[in-house]
Amino acid sequence: MIRLNCFIKVNEENRTAVLEAAKTLTAASLEQDGCIAYDIFESATRHDVLMICETWRDQAALDAHSNSQVFHDQVKIMHEFAEMKLESFPFNK
């Protein structure tokens, strides 16, 4: 399995737009083949930090997700209004 953590730094003015894009992406991703888990977390100490944590069955499932239209549409919005940092690592049960 593959785990991705996407850290999102967003100012208050753009937070709603970024969070809505992340929610749309999460809902669609959970329906995709090979998605084990996908969720959004909000920092308890920093209102400007969100994190998307996702787990994929394998690289093929992650590639299909990364090439999906909903991914491109929603990530474009997030990149427009926020700073993003991605961490990826293998994950075993």
Side-chain angles (χ1 to χ4, degrees), residues 2 4 32-35 54-69 71-72 88:
I2 301 167
L4 300 175
Q32 293 176 338
D33 182 48
C35 182
E54 51 190 282
T55 305
W56 294 92
R57 177 185 60 224
D58 54 28
Q59 189 63 50
L62 177 57
D63 289 346
H65 165 68
S66 298
N67 290 318
S68 70
Q69 190 62 51
F71 176 85
H72 286 282
S88 174

Side-chain angles (χ1 to χ4, degrees), residues 22-56:
K23 287 178 182 180
T24 298
L25 180 58
T26 297
S29 299
L30 287 168
E31 299 296 321
Q32 293 176 338
D33 182 48
C35 182
I36 306 299
Y38 210 103
D39 207 347
I40 308 162
F41 297 93
E42 300 179 68
S43 173
T45 57
R46 294 188 52 199
H47 194 66
D48 65 334
V49 175
L50 306 169
M51 182 179 79
I52 297 175
C53 182
E54 51 190 282
T55 305
W56 294 92

Side-chain angles (χ1 to χ4, degrees), residues 16-26 40 73-75 77-78:
T16 299
V18 169
L19 189 54
E20 287 306 312
K23 287 178 182 180
T24 298
L25 180 58
T26 297
I40 308 162
D73 292 346
Q74 302 312 310
V75 169
I77 293 168
M78 289 187 275

